[in-house]
Amino acid sequence: MVTRPLRTFTIVPAVPPALERLRELALNLRWAWDRETIDLFRRLDSDLWETTGHNPVVLLGSIRQERLQDAAADDGFVAQYHRACERLDAYMGRATQNGYNGTLIQPWFAKTYRGSNISVAYFSAEFGLTECLAIYSGGLGVLSGDHLKSASDLGVPLAGIGLAYQEGYFRQYLNADGWQGELYPDNDFYNVPMTLERRPDGSPVKIQVELPGRLLTAQVWRVQVGRVPLFLLDANVPETAPHDRVASLRLYSADRDIRIRQELLLGIGGIRALETLGYDPHVLHMNEGHSAFLGLERIRRLIEKHRLTFAEAREAAAAGSVFTTHTPVPAGIDLFDPGLIDHYFGDWYGKLGISRDEFLALGRQNPHDASEPFSMAVLAIHLSTQVNGVSKLHGEVSRRMWPGLWPKTPVEEIPIDAVTNGVHPLSWVSGDMLGLYERYLGPRWIDASVSRDASDAAVWERVNDIPAEELWRTHERRRERLVSFARRRLRTQLEARSAPPAEIEQAAGVLDPAALTIGFARRFATYKRATLLFHDIERLSAILNHRERPLQIIFAGKAHPEDNGGKELIRDIVRLAKRDDLRRRIVFIEDYDLNVARYLVGGCDVWLNLPRRPHEASGTSGMKAALNGGLHMSVLDGWWAEAYRPGVGWAIGHGEQYQDTGYQDYVEARATYELLEKEVVPIFYDRGPDDLPRRWIAMMKAAMRELGPEYNTNRMLYEYVERLYHPAAARFSHLTQDNGAAARSLAAWKQRLRKSWGHVRIEEVDAPATDVTVGMELPVRACVRLGSLTPDDVSVQLYDGPVDAQGQIASGHVDEMAVAPDVAGPGGVGARHEDGVYTYAGAIPCRRSGLHGYSVRVIPKNPDLANVFEPGLIVWASEQAVGSGR
């Protein structure tokens, strides 16, 4: 029999008055990247700190009361406690309760945008903030967590929105054969660093989302991430029907019906939660397409608030929306059957004042294809005017994924930008390495990647001042701790599998604390090719077991529960690790999480990445390793395609892409062996009389110096604020002021533009039919029929560039043309301004020799457009328009 409680109440730790702020310290996740606060909790009870999974809330609730009393009487502990409180108060910009008069920290945003009132809401399906808060699955969540941490450090006025998953992502275990199993332990939200948002009367803050014939109710939890609040929606409440509570049960349900309810809750529920809590953000940032329904909710609200039409409200909503795509392949995008959309949004069509076909077109590349599923990424693009990928290469890949949304637009001009991901330095630099940074780079090292001041840029050059011996001994300590950690975890894993006693005892001897150590840890998807190194197992064994120059590899990572291909990769590794010649050289660590990741990126010598290009959108684990002096070795994909340069790591191949994946695997496996045998291993073991690998240390310093200041989330946030948030906030404010007057005007102009666009054509183009020399200009005139439009509505442009082997203009360059004076031009084309026909003149600067080509095009022009390609309209000159020339 299950007995339900008559009432519920919360029990909180009984903390001595002298330590009354310990709970406050525990509930602000700034402790997760503040070493002194972590040390404070560990000092209370180091064993309990480990067994609670580094959870200070559980630690305070579980520790013996006598220990707390002892700590309150310990002058040393109390002094450390006060320092932690003062650091938190200074960070939060407030005077401390004990009269501390130190300097309060003024963050970058406050200094740079003094008086700015912009605000941002950041939506993500997962947040990887700390291992004791299991609401993340992998790289997307870790990136989201680091985004919030840097927003806090920089003082960006941002709030996060996510889901409070009752079970979160799974805990991984392997059976005796190495096959992955999943456990889904419940998250106890009352015993993690989060608090329930409450109304003045003490009742929980709740929001509702309409489902067919019922309501989905969710309460709101707050996670305080330094200065930034993260609000998590929890549907596991009595008011929500049991079959709907799955909306916040687990990450990434494979069931489409559950998935759409999750995304309804995240997007629509997230907007409603923000309003209920008094937040009215200018900018809505969708981190992946899972939250894209938020655009529909914002449009609905603008319609109600300003009495706008759908088209008018869409202009304003899109102006204040940013969409970041992380997916380099169409298969990774959430798609819903049109019937499922009808089921959940059928009554929205009338609310928004549009037809079913118009609604479904928002999620389709081809609005006329009734069989095309509804894409959340396409919806996000349609309802945003700022779209970006997460590395330069991924930006290029993304521009090629959705050409149907911008027909006739050259791929390189498709308006998808790129902001390369980064990592939060203080979360990922090991304590030992942090000491070196602070000692030799000084206190400003963490801010130097945001400032564009030359003196701050020079801060990272001080990496050269770190003594080689000190850097190497620091790194060796980290490797030794990694090996010790791996042995403990392996022993625990084997015991859980009921392995033979002899095999368990062998765990104490795996790995060599002094050997060259490679780390490979990530989500186990087949395109990441975790077993590429096993292509020639005998050759690998020879490399691993070299008598004087041994090598060892530590693997970790989870496969999605539905991904049997990924699970097979894990099984293959575990089986191979049992071979007599490999058991001391290959280890697989189960249940990869943030804690395991910190050990790996802090202690590995080489971080290995083997994706099948161009399937890695960015990747960030190699950045974490680089901050710790680890050297990255990877295929030129994701961030490494732009970051690699000789001396900071190694590139596998030269960025080739193959049609035959089997041949690609063969070639790149051989290339990996070659690098290991001829460069990586020899450099690592090239020691002088002092036993220091001087060439290796020089590469460590180069990686830290050149990659550290660029590939971190402080630089990333700087770019988001400067390039995306600030412009989006300005456009949203402009289009919504005066009851949406500018949005009305822009929508009306677009309607007139689309109605008239079919009459726009380039009737004649003329230029001298002669060769020109470098440095000259080629004059071009074009006769353009605009119909009912005027020159103020359009931009007429020359598009020129070198002609490639396929006869296409490569890397086109744009030059504006202007309405010509009323005189005859080349070939007799005059400046006729009657009947909507205009003559435009321009010139092509001839910068370099070779075969070049040009064309003329007409695109829309309006100062309120985010970019000229936003309307998706363009007219190119046809061959029939070319005049005879002179």
Side-chain angles (χ1 to χ4, degrees):
M1 174 182 173
V2 177
T3 303
R4 298 190 63 83
L6 178 64
R7 287 181 179 164
T8 61
F9 58 96
T10 304
I11 301 174
V12 298
V15 178
L19 306 175
E20 61 182 355
R21 297 185 66 193
L22 275 176
R23 183 165 170 79
E24 178 190 348
L25 290 171
L27 288 174
N28 189 318
L29 280 186
R30 183 177 175 271
W31 64 258
W33 68 97
D34 183 67
R35 305 283 170 182
E36 182 154 3
T37 310
I38 291 174
D39 289 343
L40 182 75
F41 289 125
R42 182 180 281 117
R43 184 171 176 175
L44 276 173
D45 190 323
S46 59
D47 291 338
L48 192 56
W49 176 251
E50 295 299 329
T51 58
T52 60
H54 303 163
N55 184 339
V57 176
V58 173
L59 182 143
L60 292 177
S62 305
I63 196 169
R64 293 180 300 106
Q65 201 65 33
E66 294 81 8
R67 175 63 192 119
L68 286 175
Q69 295 296 343
D70 289 344
D74 181 339
D75 290 345
F77 183 88
V78 172
Q80 185 177 357
Y81 159 76
H82 283 306
R83 286 197 303 271
C85 293
E86 289 167 359
R87 285 165 63 89
L88 177 62
D89 287 334
Y91 181 88
M92 300 297 288
R94 64 194 180 208
T96 63
Q97 294 182 8
N98 64 354
Y100 172 69
N101 294 316
T103 303
L104 301 182
I105 298 171
Q106 186 180 30
W108 167 81
F109 188 89
K111 292 184 286 188
T112 307
Y113 294 97
R114 199 178 305 276
S116 172
N117 64 347
I118 76 166
S119 57
V120 180
Y122 180 84
F123 289 70
S124 183
E126 52 174 303
F127 289 90
L129 292 157
T130 174
E131 55 269 27
C132 71
L133 191 56
I135 55 171
Y136 66 95
S137 69
L140 178 70
V142 175
L143 183 278
S144 301
D146 283 6
H147 192 110
L148 296 195
K149 291 174 182 177
S150 272
S152 171
D153 288 343
L154 301 182
V156 178
L158 181 146
I161 299 290
L163 298 181
Y165 298 103
Q166 189 64 51
E167 294 182 352
Y169 208 51
F170 67 89
R171 300 292 302 272
Q172 180 194 53
Y173 69 93
L174 303 182
N175 66 17
D177 192 43
W179 190 258
Q180 173 183 291
E182 297 89 28
L183 295 172
Y184 290 91
D186 275 347
N187 279 322
D188 180 359
F189 296 144
Y190 293 92
N191 274 311
V192 292
M194 54 196 283
T195 54
L196 199 58
E197 285 290 287
R198 297 186 182 274
R199 300 181 185 278
D201 64 2
S203 63
V205 171
K206 294 183 179 179
I207 57 94
Q208 292 182 323
V209 176
E210 299 81 7
L211 299 180
R214 63 199 192 276
L215 292 173
L216 189 159
T217 302
Q219 60 188 1
V220 184
W221 295 86
R222 173 193 286 256
V223 178
Q224 194 64 38
V225 187
R227 301 180 177 99
V228 168
L230 167 61
F231 300 110
L232 302 175
L233 306 183
D234 172 16
N236 189 22
V237 296
E239 298 93 325
T240 296
H243 66 277
D244 283 329
R245 296 178 193 174
V246 295
S248 63
L249 180 64
R250 293 180 184 173
L251 269 159
Y252 304 134
S253 171
D255 184 298
R256 292 289 93 184
D257 192 87
I258 295 175
R259 180 71 73 90
I260 197 170
R261 280 178 277 163
Q262 287 184 321
E263 298 185 356
L264 279 161
L265 178 60
L266 177 61
I268 296 172
I271 293 289
R272 295 180 184 181
L274 287 170
E275 181 189 49
T276 302
L277 294 167
Y279 286 79
D280 185 18
H282 300 83
V283 179
L284 303 180
H285 185 171
M286 294 171 271
N287 191 45
E288 255 309 343
H290 308 110
S291 60
F293 291 138
L294 66 80
L296 300 173
E297 175 68 3
R298 193 177 216 185
I299 288 171
R300 186 188 68 78
R301 290 172 176 274
L302 288 169
I303 290 172
E304 290 181 356
K305 180 178 181 180
H306 298 296
R307 298 190 179 277
L308 303 175
T309 66
F310 174 82
E312 294 164 349
R314 178 182 173 182
E315 294 299 336
S321 295
V322 174
F323 169 50
T324 298
T325 172
H326 293 257
T327 308
V329 291
I333 294 168
D334 279 351
L335 302 175
F336 296 115
D337 183 83
L340 200 58
I341 297 295
D342 284 336
H343 181 66
Y344 284 99
F345 285 97
D347 60 347
W348 277 70
Y349 307 156
K351 291 179 188 177
L352 299 176
I354 58 176
S355 69
R356 174 183 184 270
D357 288 345
E358 289 173 315
F359 187 98
L360 291 175
L362 294 171
R364 289 172 169 165
Q365 284 207 64
N366 181 359
H368 307 296
D369 182 358
S371 65
E372 183 179 338
F374 190 92
S375 164
M376 294 298 284
V378 172
L379 175 65
I381 291 171
H382 275 143
L383 300 184
S384 305
T385 52
Q386 303 275 14
V387 182
N388 69 282
V390 290
S391 69
K392 290 179 181 177
L393 178 59
H394 182 234
E396 296 172 13
V397 171
S398 298
R399 287 189 284 274
R400 297 180 186 278
M401 283 179 65
W402 295 292
L405 300 180
W406 295 276
K408 302 180 182 178
T409 303
V411 170
E412 66 270 15
E413 291 188 289
I414 285 176
I416 298 179
D417 203 347
V419 177
T420 301
N421 283 344
V423 298
H424 183 247
L426 289 178
S427 293
W428 295 106
V429 172
S430 70
D432 298 309
M433 193 63 70
L434 178 63
L436 292 184
Y437 278 123
E438 292 179 342
R439 192 152 57 250
Y440 291 100
L441 274 65
R444 290 194 305 154
W445 76 272
I446 199 67
D447 301 317
S449 53
V450 182
S451 171
R452 292 304 186 251
D453 185 272
S455 63
D456 280 343
V459 166
W460 282 88
E461 293 297 319
R462 297 176 192 162
V463 166
N464 296 328
D465 298 336
I466 302 175
E469 182 174 15
E470 191 170 358
L471 176 59
W472 186 244
R473 299 308 174 215
T474 298
H475 179 65
E476 286 195 310
R477 282 197 303 274
R478 294 303 309 166
R479 191 191 317 112
E480 289 165 3
R481 287 175 188 163
L482 169 61
V483 168
S484 177
F485 171 78
R487 288 171 174 173
R488 292 196 306 271
R489 286 293 290 259
L490 181 59
R491 183 182 183 92
T492 302
Q493 292 167 198
L494 293 172
E495 289 172 344
R497 295 180 210 160
S498 299
E503 188 176 351
I504 294 173
E505 288 305 313
Q506 287 174 346
V510 301
L511 305 177
D512 178 351
L516 172 58
T517 303
I518 290 179
F520 185 103
R522 53 192 33 87
R523 181 168 58 90
F524 267 67
T526 51
Y527 79 85
K528 293 179 182 285
R529 301 189 298 180
T531 57
L532 187 69
L533 273 178
F534 301 148
H535 200 272
D536 183 342
I537 193 64
E538 300 309 322
R539 187 174 181 181
L540 176 63
S541 179
I543 298 171
L544 295 176
N545 291 296
H546 192 284
R547 184 173 299 177
E548 288 87 28
R549 304 184 307 188
L551 177 68
Q552 57 199 16
I553 310 172
I554 303 176
F555 290 92
K558 299 177 179 180
H560 188 277
E562 306 294 326
D563 184 4
N564 285 334
K567 291 182 178 182
E568 288 172 358
L569 295 177
I570 294 173
R571 183 183 59 187
D572 290 345
I573 293 170
V574 174
R575 284 178 171 178
L576 281 166
K578 293 181 179 180
R579 282 181 37 154
D580 289 340
D581 59 333
L582 300 179
R583 67 170 64 251
R584 293 190 65 248
R585 299 297 180 200
I586 296 177
V587 170
F588 186 96
I589 297 178
E590 291 179 24
D591 205 27
Y592 185 44
D593 66 2
L594 296 180
N595 185 45
V596 175
R598 281 194 293 271
Y599 273 101
L600 285 167
V601 299
C604 285
D605 300 294
V606 175
W607 196 261
L608 184 63
N609 193 25
L610 299 168
R612 186 173 285 120
R613 177 183 163 111
H615 291 163
E616 186 82 279
S618 175
T620 56
S621 52
M623 303 175 189
K624 298 162 191 165
L627 278 170
N628 286 284
L631 300 180
H632 198 225
M633 178 177 173
S634 174
V635 172
L636 289 174
D637 199 6
W639 78 285
W640 197 234
E642 67 192 77
Y644 170 71
R645 65 212 68 162
V648 300
W650 294 275
I652 300 169
H654 302 282
E656 303 91 345
Q657 293 176 211
Y658 300 77
Q659 295 297 319
D660 184 338
T661 57
Y663 180 67
Q664 179 179 6
D665 292 351
Y666 169 77
V667 169
E668 292 179 346
R670 286 176 59 88
T672 305
Y673 296 140
E674 290 282 319
L675 276 175
L676 290 174
E677 292 168 336
K678 297 180 179 179
E679 291 195 40
V680 180
V681 174
I683 294 175
F684 182 85
Y685 286 104
D686 179 16
R687 310 292 173 96
D690 55 5
D691 198 34
L692 292 180
R694 295 280 177 177
R695 287 196 295 160
W696 189 276
I697 293 170
M699 292 185 69
M700 290 175 66
K701 288 187 176 183
M704 295 162 65
R705 183 183 66 243
E706 298 183 33
L707 303 179
E710 186 66 21
Y711 296 98
N712 65 77
T713 43
N714 286 359
R715 183 275 312 158
M716 184 186 81
L717 259 293
Y718 171 89
E719 289 195 42
Y720 272 114
V721 170
E722 292 279 309
R723 294 166 46 196
L724 302 178
Y725 293 166
H726 214 267
R731 288 194 71 244
F732 180 75
S733 295
H734 170 63
L735 292 181
T736 54
Q737 68 184 4
D738 297 330
N739 219 28
R744 296 174 198 271
S745 175
L746 182 58
W749 175 80
K750 281 189 177 180
Q751 184 179 25
R752 178 171 64 85
L753 185 77
R754 292 191 173 95
K755 184 177 180 180
S756 304
W757 197 255
H759 302 291
V760 175
R761 63 179 179 271
I762 300 167
E763 296 188 335
E764 193 170 352
V765 178
D766 250 312
T770 60
D771 291 336
V772 291
T773 59
V774 172
M776 294 180 61
E777 289 189 337
L778 180 70
V780 180
R781 293 171 77 87
C783 182
V784 182
R785 182 174 295 277
L786 298 181
S788 61
L789 300 178
T790 72
D792 290 337
D793 296 317
V794 301
S795 176
V796 179
Q797 299 175 333
L798 285 164
Y799 184 84
D800 69 276
V803 176
D804 62 20
Q806 287 72 44
Q808 303 292 322
I809 295 176
S811 304
H813 179 268
V814 173
D815 288 292
E816 292 289 332
M817 302 182 77
V819 176
D822 194 10
V823 294
V829 178
R832 293 172 289 155
H833 298 171
E834 70 280 0
D835 301 324
V837 179
Y838 299 83
T839 297
Y840 282 77
I844 300 171
C846 301
R847 301 176 181 86
R848 53 185 246 186
S849 60
L851 181 63
H852 287 246
Y854 73 90
S855 187
V856 177
R857 69 186 186 188
V858 184
I859 56 178
K861 179 177 67 175
N862 187 301
D864 284 340
L865 288 176
N867 61 78
V868 295
F869 300 106
E870 180 191 318
L873 301 172
I874 187 168
V875 170
W876 290 89
S878 65
E879 292 184 3
Q880 289 73 28
V882 180
S884 58
R886 296 190 277 132

